[in-house]
Amino acid sequence: MDSQTSQASQSPHTFQVDLRGLVDLLSHHLYSSPRVYLRELLQNAVDAVTARRAEQPDAPARVRLYAEGGTLRVEDSGVGLTEADVHTLLATIGRSSKRADPGGIQEARSEFLGQFGIGLLACFVVAERIRVVSRSARTPAAPPVEWTAADDGSYTVRTLPDAARPEPGTTVHLVARPGAGEWLTEERVLALARDFGSLLPYDVRVGDEAVTDLPAPWNRPYPSPATRRVALQRHCHDLFGFTPLDSIDLDVPLAGIRGVAYVLPSSVSPAQRASHRVHLKGMLLTERAEQLLPDWAFFVRCVLDTDSLRPTASRESLYEDETLAAVREALGERIRSWLTGLAAGEPERLAAFLSVHHLGVKSLARHDKEMLRTMLPWLPFETTDGQLSLEEFAQRHPVVHFTRSVEEYRQVAPIASAQGVGVVNGGYTYDSELIEALPSVRPGTVVAELDADTVTAHLDTVDPAVELALSAFLAAARAKLDPLGCDVVLRAFHPLSVPALHLDDRAARHEQARAEAEEQADDLWAGILGSLRGSAPRARLVLNHLNPLIRRISSLDDPELTGTATESLYGQALLMAQRPLRPADSALLNRAFIGLLEWATHSDPTEPTEDGRR
């Protein structure tokens, strides 16, 4: 008895599927929208036609859709089903006619769109009842069969008289579920069918309206290249809503890919994920494919047809595998070749492209030396000589100095330019990486990061006798700025209109930040931060002895006024460098401003101030 009980408990059981729950899962989690129901219907119909033509090449290839009054009828001239097929394929959730078919469909599987056997189940997203009437082309003597299913999981199967379906093929009838009637209107069905099926290889119609539009715009013959360009521009505008700057043919025969990439007419952020339209054997798979191209190719939007890429279970995106990686590389190489061709023979088109999308090309050139070498005469950089390519700038200057931030560039560019020192702004995205890579593609080029010492070394020194005469003033100025971690030096430089220049580098700023953190830390952390104290040079305020204001300030007899003037010069130099102000810097600026106002509004130097000073 115990043995029998044990055997009974180990007997296999069959899963009981709650169809309503499964439909809810499909509609809310697997599919992005109920609209995919029509793609599933088209897909089943096209696969059935493909299967029949694999055995009967001259068989008709038609798909017809008729929508009326909350119902939809889809007819195809495909391979059809027998009663046994219906029980095997339609009544078992998850089984695919493409998976293990002894009748020969398996041999043609590569031609099918569907891969996952979900099939008609997706139609319950919009329908409360589905009726399928089918007649087999493989077994002409078999009578037509009818399969009727409701969204509660129940179904019936029965054979019909020959008149119910005289020709081989399948007819699917849908009755809309409450609240989903709009998805079965003729207008909506036609729009969805054209969106999903415009590139299908068979004759597909909604009523009398054609759905397919072949050949694809990129495959059609045109009288001239100009005519083709205009036609593709129109196609892009209809598809994506913009008129492209240019178009790039995407032809990768080994991967079974043919399509076009449209160049965006305006710049976009590299972080913005591009969405592309991908058709699988003519059927729209997704219009939001993000991983199709390399990250650097964010300046194009693609539409293409493929027969090699693998879709995910929902058939709304691409499966990340080795094939997709190879296709991504091949498409990237095609765009790279287009850029190289423009550089070699169409400089005007390349210049127009780079004026908008130089960032994308710079992103590519970072990792591709050949592309950097090709684009060297074309890529624009901000320099002290104006907007130039690195090639032209390197021809003008024996050393290519650059800064790593925009703030550093703005700080030193006017002064360096006046001293004849060429500087490139490396603070923009990718620029410093490309500048540092310059010697690898242009042998003999010297590249050096510009720092405070380099700038100071190019400024003229002041006569020692003059500097000695101003030693008291300089000592007072240094004492005033020492708490802020800034030294004071005297130089003579152009332009004369610049009274003072604030110079520092990343090491000095790091040391400054460490010192501030040490002041605010407790004893333990102060000790740790103190042990990290560096020997980096401090920031410096370079006073321009050629500037008339500096000469007047240096001759002041009032120590307090001299200190206030020094703080004002320091604050003004910080603002000119567009540096972020620390709390101490903001307090200094406020103090200096108030101090100058007090001095300017007291004409009688003997009149006491509010605190009793004279």
Side-chain angles (χ1 to χ4, degrees):
M1 182 68 178
D2 291 341
S3 175
Q4 293 178 349
T5 303
S6 176
Q7 291 178 356
S9 65
Q10 295 179 10
S11 299
H13 299 277
T14 302
F15 281 108
Q16 300 300 309
V17 177
D18 179 358
L19 190 57
R20 290 184 186 273
L22 190 56
V23 169
D24 181 72
L25 179 67
L26 288 174
S27 60
H28 290 97
H29 299 283
L30 184 62
Y31 293 129
S32 61
S33 165
R35 69 197 297 269
V36 299
Y37 89 91
L38 192 71
R39 185 196 61 199
E40 296 293 338
L41 287 173
L42 283 177
Q43 193 161 281
N44 286 342
V46 169
D47 283 347
V49 172
T50 300
R52 183 178 180 186
R53 290 182 70 117
E55 301 176 1
Q56 304 172 17
D58 296 331
R62 296 188 306 271
V63 179
R64 297 290 185 267
L65 298 90
Y66 304 94
E68 183 179 1
T71 64
L72 176 64
R73 185 172 85 255
V74 182
E75 301 176 353
D76 69 66
S77 58
V79 69
L81 302 171
T82 62
E83 183 177 3
D85 294 333
V86 167
H87 283 289
T88 301
L89 302 176
L90 297 187
T92 305
I93 294 174
R95 179 170 294 177
S96 170
S97 62
K98 279 74 87 172
R99 212 171 263 169
D101 179 17
I105 296 182
Q106 178 67 22
E107 284 75 8
R109 182 182 178 192
S110 64
E111 299 301 321
F112 292 132
L113 304 174
Q115 298 283 332
F116 300 95
I118 296 174
L120 290 175
L121 187 62
C123 295
F124 280 117
V125 173
V126 298
E128 66 176 0
R129 189 169 70 257
I130 302 174
R131 184 167 71 96
V132 177
V133 177
S134 187
R135 183 163 195 164
S136 174
R138 290 206 189 97
T139 314
V145 60
E146 177 190 72
W147 175 84
T148 304
D151 61 1
D152 61 2
S154 62
Y155 72 93
T156 60
V157 179
R158 65 189 180 109
T159 58
L160 301 175
D162 288 351
R165 178 84 200 194
E167 298 295 329
T170 300
T171 301
V172 179
H173 303 262
L174 301 187
V175 177
R177 63 192 309 161
E182 62 170 315
W183 291 103
L184 272 64
T185 63
E186 183 175 21
E187 182 180 5
R188 178 63 68 90
V189 168
L190 178 60
L192 292 176
R194 283 177 171 167
D195 195 34
F196 284 119
S198 62
L199 300 184
L200 289 173
Y202 304 134
D203 179 15
V204 182
R205 296 177 181 272
V206 176
D208 295 327
E209 297 288 335
V211 168
T212 52
D213 186 19
L214 295 176
W218 52 84
N219 282 333
R220 295 173 189 170
Y222 295 97
S224 67
T227 306
R228 185 177 190 271
R229 187 175 297 116
V230 170
L232 289 179
Q233 286 178 343
R234 187 182 306 113
H235 175 249
C236 177
H237 190 273
D238 292 342
L239 208 58
F240 294 114
F242 65 86
T243 300
L245 195 64
D246 211 333
S247 58
I248 309 167
D249 283 326
L250 301 177
D251 190 1
V252 187
L254 292 178
I257 286 177
R258 188 77 173 91
V260 62
Y262 293 116
V263 180
L264 292 166
S266 57
S267 60
V268 293
S269 167
Q272 180 178 332
R273 300 296 295 178
S275 296
H276 312 288
R277 288 177 64 95
V278 177
H279 295 255
L280 181 62
K281 303 179 183 72
M283 181 75 75
L284 178 66
L285 177 69
T286 178
E287 54 190 356
R288 295 186 300 275
E290 296 182 348
Q291 68 274 49
L292 187 65
L293 295 180
D295 290 341
W296 56 261
F298 54 81
F299 51 83
V300 298
R301 296 292 180 270
C302 297
V303 53
L304 54 84
D305 189 21
T306 176
D307 56 18
S308 65
L309 297 179
R310 179 183 171 191
T312 59
S314 66
R315 292 195 285 276
E316 293 187 279
S317 59
L318 298 172
Y319 189 84
E320 185 67 50
D321 56 12
E322 292 181 357
T323 302
L324 179 57
V327 165
R328 183 162 47 235
E329 179 61 31
L331 294 179
E333 180 59 37
R334 185 65 195 88
I335 298 174
R336 187 185 290 110
S337 298
W338 171 77
L339 286 170
T340 304
L342 290 186
E346 300 184 77
E348 291 184 359
R349 287 177 64 192
L350 178 62
F353 167 77
L354 289 178
S355 67
V356 179
H357 296 299
H358 57 272
L359 202 58
V361 180
K362 286 181 177 180
S363 175
L364 167 61
R366 288 183 304 155
H367 308 295
D368 189 326
K369 288 187 178 180
E370 284 304 315
M371 182 56 62
L372 177 58
R373 185 179 289 108
T374 300
M375 292 292 132
L376 205 55
W378 306 101
L379 288 174
F381 288 79
E382 183 179 359
T383 78
T384 48
D385 293 352
Q387 286 285 114
L388 294 177
S389 69
L390 288 181
E391 175 67 31
E392 187 174 355
F393 187 84
Q395 291 174 0
R396 296 185 183 187
H397 298 278
V399 178
V400 178
H401 288 102
F402 72 99
T403 63
R404 291 190 181 275
S405 71
V406 175
E407 292 78 10
E408 287 178 303
Y409 177 80
R410 290 172 178 165
Q411 180 182 14
V412 302
I415 308 302
S417 179
Q419 313 310 311
V421 179
V423 185
V424 182
N425 185 353
Y428 295 115
T429 307
Y430 311 132
D431 282 9
S432 62
E433 295 177 71
L434 295 177
I435 296 167
E436 290 182 298
L438 186 57
S440 66
V441 297
R442 195 178 188 275
T445 303
V446 179
V447 172
E449 184 176 355
L450 189 69
D451 55 22
D453 287 335
T454 303
V455 177
T456 305
H458 281 81
L459 304 180
D460 294 334
T461 58
V462 179
D463 184 270
V466 173
E467 189 163 0
L468 181 61
L470 298 176
S471 59
F473 161 71
L474 293 175
R478 287 168 183 150
K480 200 70 175 176
L481 297 185
D482 183 69
L484 297 171
C486 183
D487 292 330
V488 178
V489 296
L490 188 66
R491 292 289 188 272
F493 56 87
H494 293 273
L496 301 180
S497 58
V498 177
L501 177 66
H502 181 271
L503 294 177
D504 64 0
D505 54 27
R506 284 175 298 159
R509 289 195 294 274
H510 176 76
E511 173 62 19
Q512 195 174 62
R514 187 210 58 78
E516 290 178 358
E518 182 181 354
E519 290 178 2
Q520 300 173 8
D522 57 29
D523 292 341
L524 174 60
W525 281 108
I528 295 174
L529 292 169
S531 68
L532 299 176
R533 183 179 295 111
S535 58
R538 303 205 303 170
R540 66 199 69 175
L541 182 68
V542 184
L543 302 179
N544 186 2
H545 185 59
L546 299 180
N547 181 270
L549 178 62
I550 296 298
R551 289 175 179 263
R552 289 196 295 271
I553 292 174
S554 64
S555 63
L556 291 173
D557 295 329
D558 186 341
E560 288 191 17
L561 182 56
T562 299
T564 299
T566 301
E567 289 179 331
S568 299
L569 290 170
Y570 173 81
Q572 189 262 355
L574 279 181
L575 293 175
M576 290 296 293
Q578 301 186 27
R579 288 279 185 209
L581 297 180
R582 300 169 297 163
D585 297 329
S586 299
L588 175 144
L589 278 171
N590 184 60
R591 183 171 63 248
F593 179 70
I594 297 299
L596 288 177
L597 282 179
E598 287 184 350
W599 178 83
T601 54
H602 288 80
S603 57
D604 183 358
T606 64
E607 183 181 344
T609 60
E610 290 182 2
D611 58 3
R613 292 183 301 159
R614 292 182 179 274

